[in-house]
Amino acid sequence: MAKGWRRDRQVRCGPVASRTGERTLRFAGGWARVGPWHDQPDVAHVVVATDQRLSPPAVRDCVARVRAAGYRAAVTSPLTAAAAVPFLSEGFESREHLHVLEHPLTDLARRSGAGPELRRGWRRDRVEVIALDRRAFPPHWQLGDSGLREALRATPSVRFRVAHRPGDPRIAAFAITGRAGRQGYLQRLAVHPDAQRGGLGRALVVDSLRWVRRSGGRTCLVNTQTDNQDALALYEACGFRRLPSGLGVLGCAW
């Protein structure tokens, strides 16, 4: 359940870059945002708009600048097949394929009053949320501190929610949802392994969908690994439908 398929091209640089090490590189016909990947200072996370196809010279220039900055490897944000072509021609290889699912925001389920406690996520929750994320995902898919910051800043509007089991003050699950214009994005959903299949994930998904629709969204997108059958089953049970084309994450080392 990752980020990266945003269709908008708004970039928040400047103050963000000065605090996180992120830089925005601009080329003829596009841009790429570069920063450490999942708190690994020597691996660059190269983020481009999903449907933006950079030219091979632009990708070559991007790689040269990434290498000059001292990175030893790079990982892209999820890309469409067309957007991946120039990266593949410059030596990048496929690391992972993702399903993309879309929800039309119709016939949304109502939350039960007896369900889990959901509340706003605060800055003071971030350490606990990052620790939970590490328990919920394999190492190469964990957010880390930098990934959490990026998810919270990726779209103009964002909703950060955490869930508790009844009588337990510990955070058992969280969701980050964004909206840009009419498009909503379920950026991240994570449930602690000990709390799975207890309704927390479904409650957070429903909460996210209802917020996107209430705030003016028309549809909501989410992506997930092709082998994450639990996540796929949850999303489809909540009304998401798989789109014909997925996304790919690419990587390169030197």
Side-chain angles (χ1 to χ4, degrees), residues 59-164:
V59 173
R60 201 172 305 127
D61 184 20
C62 178
V63 171
R65 291 201 236 176
V66 166
R67 295 186 67 173
Y71 291 106
R72 65 171 180 81
V75 177
T76 70
S77 57
L79 303 171
T80 63
V85 169
F87 286 90
L88 293 171
S89 69
E90 293 301 318
F92 280 74
E93 298 179 346
S94 177
R95 289 178 59 107
E96 193 155 22
H97 185 75
L98 306 174
H99 284 307
V100 180
L101 300 92
E102 184 176 55
H103 198 293
L105 302 179
T106 57
D107 301 322
L108 297 183
R110 294 184 178 275
R111 276 205 63 208
S112 169
E117 175 193 348
L118 306 184
R119 65 168 176 82
R120 179 179 178 179
W122 298 96
R123 183 177 295 273
R124 64 175 178 267
D125 296 318
R126 294 188 184 186
V127 171
E128 189 175 357
V129 161
I130 292 170
L132 186 158
D133 193 83
R134 291 194 180 105
R135 294 292 305 276
F137 292 96
H140 68 280
W141 204 248
Q142 294 166 5
L143 280 179
D145 183 63
S146 61
L148 179 61
R149 286 197 305 266
E150 183 179 337
L152 291 169
R153 293 169 174 158
T155 53
S157 298
V158 65
R159 183 173 178 83
F160 179 25
R161 302 283 276 174
V162 300
H164 299 268

Side-chain angles (χ1 to χ4, degrees), residues 151-236:
L152 291 169
R153 293 169 174 158
T155 53
S157 298
V158 65
R159 183 173 178 83
F160 179 25
R161 302 283 276 174
V162 300
H164 299 268
R165 288 181 289 187
D168 190 339
R170 294 172 297 179
I171 296 173
F174 75 93
I176 298 173
T177 312
R179 183 183 58 79
R182 298 294 190 180
Q183 183 63 65
Y185 305 95
L186 182 49
Q187 300 273 33
R188 191 67 161 184
L189 175 69
V191 181
H192 193 285
D194 295 340
Q196 291 178 358
R197 297 179 175 82
L200 297 176
R202 179 180 178 83
L204 284 166
V205 170
V206 171
D207 178 87
S208 296
L209 294 173
R210 294 181 69 82
W211 173 78
V212 172
R213 187 172 70 175
R214 187 169 64 248
S215 63
R218 296 288 179 83
T219 59
C220 187
L221 294 173
V222 67
N223 64 47
T224 190
Q225 306 100 306
T226 54
D227 60 353
N228 193 339
Q229 296 302 315
D230 289 342
L232 286 169
L234 170 63
Y235 293 141
E236 291 178 335

